[in-house]
Amino acid sequence: MSYLNPELHRDWKTNGYLKIPRFFSTEEVGYLHTWVSEISCWEPTSDKWMHHYESTPDGPRLSRSENFVPYHTGMKATVTRGKVLDVVSELMTEPAVLYKEKINYKYPGGGGYAAHQDAPAYEFVDYHITCLISVDSATAKSGCLYFAPGRHQEGFIALDEKGCVAPKTASVMKWIAVPTAPGDILLFGSYIPHKSPANRSEQPRRIIYLTYNAVSQGDWREKYYADKRQAFSEYAEDGSNRDKQISKIAHFQGETVNHANLH
Ligand SMILES: O=C(O)CCC(=O)C(=O)O
């Protein structure tokens, strides 16, 4: 079954991202809501899922959870088979495999993300497609994504020391806000520049991000998380402050809080 008509394929090629409204039904969104809440209640671990926290006006809150798929049956089924995998494979023009997954919570007052491309943070494979699932509604006020349409065909753009698009270049790019409602998905490749503001609303803006690569490039998911864990344990020792990041690139603009300091 195809999820995309020729017009959607054209939009994808032209813009480098594609929104499909109501990809998940109201009932499915109900499940996703429950699962995101369940995962957010898991205690921090040093060897399974990863939680990241940030300071907000309401105190420390989760900013991100990742590596949860092996530990959650419902999420695992939804992201490793079925319609998300199918639509990503269709865009990839070959079968896809999960590379990484995360939930970005962006609670009220939660930080935004500087203009960046994902490719510098996603090592081992050259190209990825991410499927964003809007669990809450994301608006300009609550911190939806902004894209620079068509700029996915230029390789790395003005990559700075943070791994982001240099602010001077980003400031003259044309940015389009892409709000999403619960159940909408937004597909984007790893070279499309994007950014998002802080959440200035009173509501959480929870979004699931599922990133895939072509099966022909191999299955890198475990290696990705082992490498990230290793890198962050080195950052914690090397005095570089990079352990304050939530990714190998320094795109997150919130103020991170170490979970050891939460209680
Ligand atoms: O969730 C957001 O607002 C943007 C996230 C993002 O671009 C990222 O995590 O790389």
Side-chain angles (χ1 to χ4, degrees):
M1 160 176 178
S2 170
Y3 288 92
L4 307 170
N5 59 30
E7 195 183 333
L8 294 180
H9 272 291
R10 212 170 31 248
D11 286 353
W12 168 254
K13 282 214 170 70
T14 308
N15 294 327
Y17 62 87
L18 180 65
K19 173 167 138 177
I20 308 184
R22 296 177 297 281
F23 191 76
F24 286 96
S25 68
T26 308
E27 188 187 6
E28 289 169 323
V29 171
Y31 286 119
L32 293 170
H33 251 282
T34 304
W35 298 344
V36 166
S37 298
E38 286 168 0
I39 292 165
S40 71
C41 292
W42 292 351
E43 286 297 318
T45 67
S46 56
D47 59 344
K48 297 189 178 81
W49 51 89
M50 300 169 178
H51 285 321
H52 306 263
Y53 300 85
E54 66 179 312
S55 173
T56 77
D58 302 316
R61 303 295 307 262
L62 271 171
S63 55
R64 171 178 292 186
S65 299
E66 49 186 334
N67 192 25
F68 48 79
V69 159
Y71 312 103
H72 196 288
T73 317
M75 279 287 191
K76 188 170 185 172
T78 302
V79 314
T80 58
R81 51 180 190 265
K83 60 185 177 182
V84 172
L85 187 63
D86 289 348
V87 72
V88 171
S89 299
E90 192 175 343
L91 288 178
M92 198 75 92
T93 66
E94 63 168 293
V97 61
L98 188 68
Y99 176 81
K100 60 170 278 177
E101 71 279 1
K102 68 190 178 210
I103 299 162
N104 284 353
Y105 297 91
K106 205 175 269 189
Y107 287 109
Y113 289 77
H116 67 282
Q117 299 164 294
D118 287 337
Y122 297 173
E123 294 164 293
F124 316 118
V125 189
D126 287 342
Y127 181 66
H128 303 79
I129 293 177
T130 293
C131 175
L132 166 169
I133 307 175
S134 207
V135 177
D136 297 315
S137 84
T139 61
K141 190 167 182 193
S142 69
C144 71
L145 268 68
Y146 286 64
F147 289 93
R151 306 294 300 265
H152 57 302
Q153 288 159 334
E154 299 174 35
F156 292 130
I157 301 175
L159 202 56
D160 69 5
E161 70 292 347
K162 294 180 165 179
C164 297
V165 178
K168 210 167 154 206
T169 303
S171 70
V172 292
M173 282 174 146
K174 182 175 172 229
W175 294 99
I176 303 282
V178 187
T180 48
D184 294 353
I185 64 168
L186 190 45
L187 298 142
F188 55 100
S190 45
Y191 285 87
I192 185 77
H194 55 287
K195 64 177 184 176
S196 69
N199 184 353
R200 292 176 290 102
S201 80
E202 304 299 318
Q203 307 300 326
R205 190 240 55 180
R206 290 162 296 189
I207 284 179
I208 302 168
Y209 293 85
L210 308 169
T211 299
Y212 297 83
N213 64 268
V215 165
S216 60
Q217 302 289 300
D219 180 347
W220 291 94
R221 195 182 162 286
E222 284 195 15
K223 167 91 175 139
Y224 171 82
Y225 282 117
D227 176 76
K228 183 164 184 182
R229 224 182 272 286
Q230 174 67 26
F232 273 74
S233 69
E234 287 166 20
Y235 298 164
E237 301 295 319
D238 67 9
S240 65
N241 244 8
R242 292 183 73 188
D243 58 328
K244 306 277 186 306
Q245 300 173 190
I246 61 176
S247 162
K248 280 193 163 181
I249 63 172
H251 59 350
F252 181 54
Q253 296 170 318
E255 186 191 332
T256 57
V257 177
N258 187 323
H259 72 78
N261 302 328
L262 286 177
H263 303 291

